[in-house]
């Protein structure tokens, strides 16, 4: 198909490819039309805000105010440091300098012949008019001119010419003889281009950093261009911490630097901090309007927003957000490549290939657009397609490490170890200073030393040593988990799933992100599920119920495979939370009830973004809980097959907003209204929306008292008057000071008679009576009250905790079992309840239940010797010699210095032989 498309377009495109008086991109627009969205205005849904630049360094202000400076020199310095006055822009040359700082590459001053030719050429390179830049620079000899010519030639696909341009500079320049910070910065930038062209970033990295350090530390500590070049270099090496520091340092020397804001915005997108990315984009937009265009958006702002929407799987909006920049700068390669990336994630590969062919007309044999498309597909988990485009990018620029790095990381995520090893090894050879590549290569080399155990549907990979204790036990639980998930989701993956048991948090983080920190303990990349070993210690996040956590992640593996990775985030998370097979805990129940009551539930179109770009701190947790709640509603109303039919629709390419109307037969708005109506009934059944509320009861009692009622009426009158005044003169009304009756023990007693099963009243009585106990907690005399509250509010764990405690120290400890079970099934990070339940069941001779709870304790804390002792003892009680032997073998590995475990193991094996 690609060859056919090329044949259809090549005749038209080739004729104009090298003509200086035509617009190759105009031909692109004719043969590959813009989507309709690009003709519209700015459709950004970005949260608007402001971002204050850091305060300028005192040294900057002093440098501007030096007494011996002339007015002209002072104006030049103000412009250089981004602190100009309107009066400073009184000539084209100064305005052009300001425009470049602001990133306004089409300002009229940049076409003025009186402006320095290098400044005009810089603007043309930045906006993609590369041939125009070369024409302007003919005969100009300077470090900056050579660097600009090399960048333009590189962009035009004339790589040999670009190398030839830079060769004399790289080989003949003695940087120690350069004593101007700006010239040194240009020299460093030339070295960056040279390294990129020749695939020799390693050979020049130390030299470049030395040059830039000398420029901004020894020659001119206020030289922000040198710091900006350093920040750009650090980000290309994935050294985000130092890159961010350098970018912020730029802004202390030039608060108007669009380049610094761009780096910070792109890093915000890379870290899923989309709120900050939008704020930075807004800041850039405001900078774009400083020279008079009140409707302008900034090209860097458009790119940041588009990248953010692409990461949020909203390719149509990403394309639309590129519209203003592409209309203004139709040859800007970064925007065009990003458009190709957005088109790739719409799976419109015929159109994509035609766009890539057209990109070749602008930049023959360029790898950039192929790399961006492959990268976007990789992030979208379209591994096969991504591999194809990344392979082309590498073939075109074999000395450019980025396609190899992305390919290596992608192969690592898809579980193809040898392919990952080959790509990352080559990438690190090309660029040993890229921290993500280095970390990932170390990881794959580490993984290849691991041992594996295997079953019908899983391979568990683990570091030899103590982790074998857990790994060899996992397969049975995994196979049981597989049956449950596959039966519920109606789909079985074609290949075995690789479970990687990472020895500590740092290795787990590198496994998932290529960096050394991540705020989770397990993650699915599709065919691979990585998990941190549940351990306690400095390098660990702690113990956890790994079966529940991995069942969540394996559900992602299954749903992603069923939908060809085209399932929305909220829906795959809804499935995964549901398949944890655990009741909703009190915190999530309370959050959902409160959000429903206050109309704070997420809108349907906010669900996906709230997982990765929560607008409020609680929105990520709410997204998980609400998504699972919506799944529950769908099953309640349409049956268990409905979510599966929705997945089939996603797999078929039905747009997300069309799936609910297509499968469930309701418009999305009506669906959400009906969901909320059902949800109110659910909250009532949880005991979290009693009627009347405590506030209503207090108001009723207040109004029944003549004196208090008069106070309420006075407060209402005062508030109404405040509202009237505010409406007339502006501002907000004074807050209403409404005095309601105090809660007293006598009032609670009275309400308890009238509303005996009211959950809020029962809870208030528990709190009130606990004030008079010796330890401030409910005592034995409150057991009946606690049980009534537990029945009235069945989701609250508070009465269960107290009842378990009270019964355990009573003469009827078996009564604690019911409440311990309630607590244990909701517990994910401790085996304490399971251990206590094992002991309680053992005390009443319920040995099978005791063994089951002891086994659960070893799953939550598999490296705890005490849990193994307990589990072995319970197994022996039911004559499960196999399980007992497994736990004693674990003890031998966990405590090799204790001969007692080996002796017990030998005795057990002898017993099995005699009994068997």
């Amino acid at each position: 198909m690609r060859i056919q498309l090329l044949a259809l377009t090549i005749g038209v495109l080739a004729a104009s490819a090298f003509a200086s008086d035509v617009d190759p991109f105009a031909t692109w627009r004719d043969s590959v039309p813009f989507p309709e969205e690009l003709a519209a205005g700015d459709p950004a849904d970005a949260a608007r805000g402001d971002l204050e630049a850091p305060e300028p360094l005192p040294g900057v202000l002093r440098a501007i105010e030096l007494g011996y400076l002339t007015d002209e020199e002072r104006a030049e310095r103000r412009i250089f440091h981004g602190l100009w006055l309107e009066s400073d822009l009184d000539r084209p040359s100064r305005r052009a300098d300001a425009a470049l700082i602001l990133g306004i590459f089409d300002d009229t001053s940049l076409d003025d012949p009186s402006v320095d030719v290098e400044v005009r050429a810089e603007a043309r390179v930045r906006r993609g008019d590369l041939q125009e830049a070369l024409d302007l620079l003919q005969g100009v000899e300077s470090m900056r001119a050579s660097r600009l010519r090399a960048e333009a030639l590189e962009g035009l696909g004339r790589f040999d010419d670009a190398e030839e341009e830079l060769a004399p500079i790289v080989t003949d320049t003695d940087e120690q003889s350069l004593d101007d910070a700006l010239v040194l910065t240009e020299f460093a930038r030339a070295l960056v281009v040279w390294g990129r062209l020749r695939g020799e970033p390693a050979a020049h990295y130390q030299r470049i950093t030395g040059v830039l350090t000398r420029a901004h530390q020894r020659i001119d500590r206020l030289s922000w261009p040198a710091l900006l070049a350093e920040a750009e270099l650090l980000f290309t090496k994935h050294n985000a911490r130092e890159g961010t520091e350098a970018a912020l340092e730029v802004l202390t020397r030039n608060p108007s630097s669009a380049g610094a804001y761009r780096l910070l915005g792109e890093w915000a997108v890379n870290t899923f901090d989309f709120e900050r990315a939008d704020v930075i984009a807004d800041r850039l937009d405001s900078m774009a309007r400083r020279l008079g265009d009140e409707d302008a958006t900034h090209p860097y702002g458009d790119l940041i927003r588009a990248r953010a929407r692409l990461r949020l799987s909203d390719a149509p909006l990403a394309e639309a957000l590129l519209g203003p920049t592409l209309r203004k700068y139709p040859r800007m390669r970064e925007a065009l490549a990003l458009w190709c990336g957005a088109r790739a994630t719409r799976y419109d590969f015929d159109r994509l290939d035609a766009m890539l062919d057209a990109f070749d007309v602008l930049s023959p044999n360029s790898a950039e657009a192929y790399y961006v498309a492959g990268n976007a597909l990789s992030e979208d988990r379209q591994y096969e397609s991504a591999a194809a485009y990344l392979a082309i990018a590498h073939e075109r620029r074999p000395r450019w490490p980025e396609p190899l790095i992305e390919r290596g990381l992608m192969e690592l995520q898809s579980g193809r170890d040898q392919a990952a090893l080959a790509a990352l090894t080559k990438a690190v050879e090309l660029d040993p200073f890229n921290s993500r590549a280095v970390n990932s290569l170390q990881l794959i080399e580490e993984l290849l030393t691991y041992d594996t155990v295997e079953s019908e549907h899983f391979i568990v990979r683990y570091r030899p040593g103590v982790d074998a204790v857990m790994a060899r036990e996992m397969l049975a639980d995994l196979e049981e988990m597989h049956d449950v998930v596959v039966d519920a989701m109606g789909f079985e993956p074609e290949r075995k799933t690789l479970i990687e048991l990472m020895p500590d948090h740092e290795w787990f983080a590198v496994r998932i992100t290529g960096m050394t920190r991540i705020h989770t303990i397990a993650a699915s990349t599709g065919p691979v599920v990585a998990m941190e070993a549940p351990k306690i210690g400095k390098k660990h996040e702690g113990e956890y119920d790994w079966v529940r956590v991995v069942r969540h992640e394996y559900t992602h593996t299954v749903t992603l495979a069923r939908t060809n990775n085209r399932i929305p985030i909220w829906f795959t998370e809804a499935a995964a939370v549901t398949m944890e097979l655990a009741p909703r805990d009190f915190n999530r129940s309370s959050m959902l009830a409160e959000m429903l009551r206050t109309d704070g539930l997420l809108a349907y179109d906010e669900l996906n973004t709230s997982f990765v770009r929560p607008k409020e701190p609680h929105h990520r947790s709410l997204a998980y809980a609400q998504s699972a709640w919506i799944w529950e509603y769908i099953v309640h109303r349409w049956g268990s097959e409905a979510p599966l039919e929705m997945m089939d629709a996603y797999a078929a390419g039905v747009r997300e907003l069309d799936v609910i109307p297509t499968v469930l037969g309701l418009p999305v708005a009506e669906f959400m209204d009906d969901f909320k109506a059902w949800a109110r009934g659910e909250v009532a059944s949880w005991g979290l929306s009693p009627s009347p509320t405590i506030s209503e009861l207090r108001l009723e009692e207040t109004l029944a008292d003549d004196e208090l009622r008069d106070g309420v009426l006075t407060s209402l009158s005062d508030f109404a008057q405040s509202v009237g005044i505010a409406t007339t003169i502006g501002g907000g009304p004074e807050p209403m000071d409404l005095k309601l009756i105090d809660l007293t023990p006598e009032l609670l007693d009275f309400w308890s008679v009238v509303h005996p099963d009211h959950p809020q009243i029962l809870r208030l009585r528990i709190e009130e009576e606990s004030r008079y106990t010796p330890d401030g907690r409910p005592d034995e005399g409150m057991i009946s009250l606690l049980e009534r509250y537990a029945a009235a509010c069945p989701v609250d764990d508070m009465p269960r905790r107290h009842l378990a405690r009270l019964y355990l120290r009573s003469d009827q400890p078996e009564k604690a079992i019911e409440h311990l079970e309630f607590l244990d099934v909701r517990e994910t990070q401790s085996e304490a309840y399971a251990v206590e339940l094992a002991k309680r069941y053992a005390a009443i001779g319920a040995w099978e239940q005791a063994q089951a709870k002891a086994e659960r304790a070893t799953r939550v804390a598999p490296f705890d010797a005490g849990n193994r002792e307990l589990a072995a003892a319970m197994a022996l009680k039911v004559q499960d010699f196999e399980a007992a032997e497994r736990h004693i073998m674990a003890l031998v590995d966990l405590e090799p210095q204790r001969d007692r475990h080996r002796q017990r193991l030998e005795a057990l094996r002898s017993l099995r032989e005699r009994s068997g």
Side-chain angles (χ1 to χ4, degrees), residues 629-643 660 663-678 682:
W629 210 16
I630 293 174
W631 179 289
E632 185 180 344
Y633 166 63
I634 292 171
V635 171
H636 169 81
R637 178 166 175 181
W638 285 278
S640 59
E641 291 296 314
I660 285 178
V663 177
L664 304 182
L666 290 178
V668 170
E670 184 178 343
F671 169 82
M672 290 299 292
D673 288 342
D674 290 357
F675 158 68
K676 291 176 184 178
W678 168 83
E682 291 296 292

Side-chain angles (χ1 to χ4, degrees), residues 312-435:
L312 290 167
S313 301
D314 192 345
L317 182 55
E319 290 183 339
L321 288 165
L322 292 170
T325 288
L326 286 176
R327 288 193 297 273
K328 189 178 293 186
Y329 308 127
R331 300 180 189 84
M332 182 180 276
R333 270 57 169 187
E334 296 160 275
L336 297 174
L338 188 56
W339 182 18
C340 291
R343 180 55 53 172
T345 61
R346 298 180 77 165
Y347 316 124
D348 185 354
F349 293 110
D350 291 344
R351 173 82 177 279
L352 171 62
D353 288 343
M355 292 167 67
L356 291 168
D357 290 336
F359 194 98
D360 265 353
V361 175
L362 289 176
S363 295
N365 205 37
S366 171
E368 181 179 2
Y370 282 93
Y371 166 70
V372 173
N375 188 43
L377 287 165
S378 173
E379 188 163 306
D380 211 35
R381 301 185 183 187
Q382 302 296 309
Y383 295 132
E384 297 299 329
S385 300
Y389 288 103
L390 290 171
I392 295 173
H394 173 57
E395 179 183 322
R396 288 176 165 223
R397 297 288 299 277
R399 296 180 292 184
W400 184 30
E402 288 301 322
L404 283 168
I405 294 171
E406 188 59 42
R407 176 75 180 271
L409 294 174
M410 184 199 70
E411 299 292 9
L412 192 57
Q413 289 181 351
S414 62
R416 296 190 286 244
D417 296 342
Q418 293 303 321
L421 178 64
L424 290 169
T425 299
K426 181 63 176 176
V428 171
E429 288 175 1
L430 290 171
D431 190 357
F433 297 100
N434 190 299
S435 58

Side-chain angles (χ1 to χ4, degrees), residues 131-204:
Q131 187 57 53
E132 289 184 21
L134 290 175
D135 294 341
L136 280 173
L137 292 170
Q138 283 186 7
V140 179
E141 296 301 328
S142 70
M143 191 75 73
R144 184 180 189 182
S146 291
R147 187 266 301 174
L148 286 169
R149 276 195 292 266
E151 287 187 357
L153 291 166
E154 179 188 25
L156 291 169
R158 296 167 57 184
F159 306 121
D160 291 341
D161 292 341
E163 285 190 37
E164 184 179 346
E165 175 69 37
L166 291 178
I169 292 176
V170 173
T171 57
D172 299 340
T173 300
D174 175 13
E175 56 260 37
Q176 295 303 318
S177 67
L178 302 177
D179 57 3
D180 183 284
L182 293 179
V183 175
L184 270 172
T185 301
E186 287 298 336
F187 177 62
R189 289 190 178 280
L191 290 176
V192 169
V193 179
W194 177 262
R196 191 166 63 229
L197 288 166
R198 295 179 59 85
E200 298 176 353
H204 297 282

Side-chain angles (χ1 to χ4, degrees), residues 195-252:
R196 191 166 63 229
L197 288 166
R198 295 179 59 85
E200 298 176 353
H204 297 282
Y205 179 70
Q206 297 290 5
R207 187 181 183 188
I208 296 168
T209 55
V211 167
L212 291 173
T213 299
R214 181 164 168 260
H216 66 71
Q217 290 296 318
R218 297 183 182 179
I219 295 179
D220 183 359
R221 296 183 67 85
L222 302 182
S223 178
W224 63 265
L227 274 168
L228 180 59
E230 183 172 275
E232 292 167 353
L233 182 64
L234 289 166
F235 274 113
T236 64
K237 305 303 179 187
H238 296 277
N239 186 343
R241 182 182 63 81
E242 293 186 20
T244 300
E245 291 173 357
L248 291 172
E249 283 294 309
V250 170
L251 294 175
T252 66

